[in-house]
Each structure stands twice: as structure tokens, then as C-alpha cells.
Amino acid sequence: MTAVPVLASALPLLHAVLALALAAWTLLFLFRIVLTWYPQVDLNRGAMRLIGWPTEGLLRVSRRLIPSIGGVDVTPVIWVGLISLLRELVVGQQGLLTQVMRQSQSLA
């Protein structure tokens, strides 16, 4: 068994996992944006940790590079845009992985 058919059969699963992971990450950042309206919410307690933990690492780094604008932290908005762009470039309708998957299906 050669590597090409194995990789071709794994592409749909990889595509689905990446699409779901990037969509979930975008959703977590959107939750972070909404939660900025409620400063009393502690992201280190209870179920809020599920939102805070996966996003805080990137936000901490990007806050050092991008200052607040008028006292408003814009880094979650920037990450939503970047992750959405990455998702479109990789698994969108014309995304790289989508095109490779279509090409492998047409060769089979």
C-alpha cells in the first residue's frame, strides 16, 4: 500500500477536524468579545475556564504587541479575523486543503 492513497483517504477527516477546530476557536474568541462587556465575570472559575484557557495564551502575547484603543482591548477581534482568514485559506470553498482533497478525488 502506497502513501498517496492513505493520505487521500485521510484528507476528508483532516479537513473536517481542522474546520471544526478553527470554527470552535473562532466561537471562543467571540465569547471573549462578549464577555468583555461583563468585567465582573472571572474566566478562571467554573465553566468560564473553557473559554478563558484556550484563548488567553494568544491574547496575552498579542496584548504586548497591540495596545488598547481608548481603553478597549481589540486583540480578540483581531484574532477572530485572523482565524477566520486562516479557516478560509485552508478549509474554505477555495482553501488549500479543500483543493488538494478535490484533486485527490478526481485522480482516484
Side-chain angles (χ1 to χ4, degrees), residues 24-99:
W25 217 10
T26 301
L27 191 61
L28 289 174
F29 277 108
L30 288 173
F31 284 144
R32 284 294 296 248
I33 292 169
V34 171
L35 288 175
T36 60
W37 301 335
Y38 303 98
Q40 72 274 13
V41 173
D42 185 5
L43 292 173
N44 295 318
R45 299 183 96 135
M48 292 300 156
R49 278 186 268 178
L50 296 174
I51 297 170
W53 178 76
T55 57
E56 188 57 37
L58 286 175
L59 291 175
R60 189 178 305 122
V61 170
S62 57
R63 284 181 189 131
R64 289 186 207 139
L65 301 172
I66 303 167
S68 297
I69 298 174
V72 176
D73 181 17
V74 296
T75 54
V77 176
I78 292 169
W79 279 108
V80 166
L82 289 174
I83 293 169
S84 297
L85 175 65
L86 178 65
R87 184 172 183 239
E88 191 61 35
L89 290 173
V90 176
V91 294
Q93 284 184 332
Q94 299 298 319
L96 180 63
L97 192 57
T98 305
Q99 294 300 320

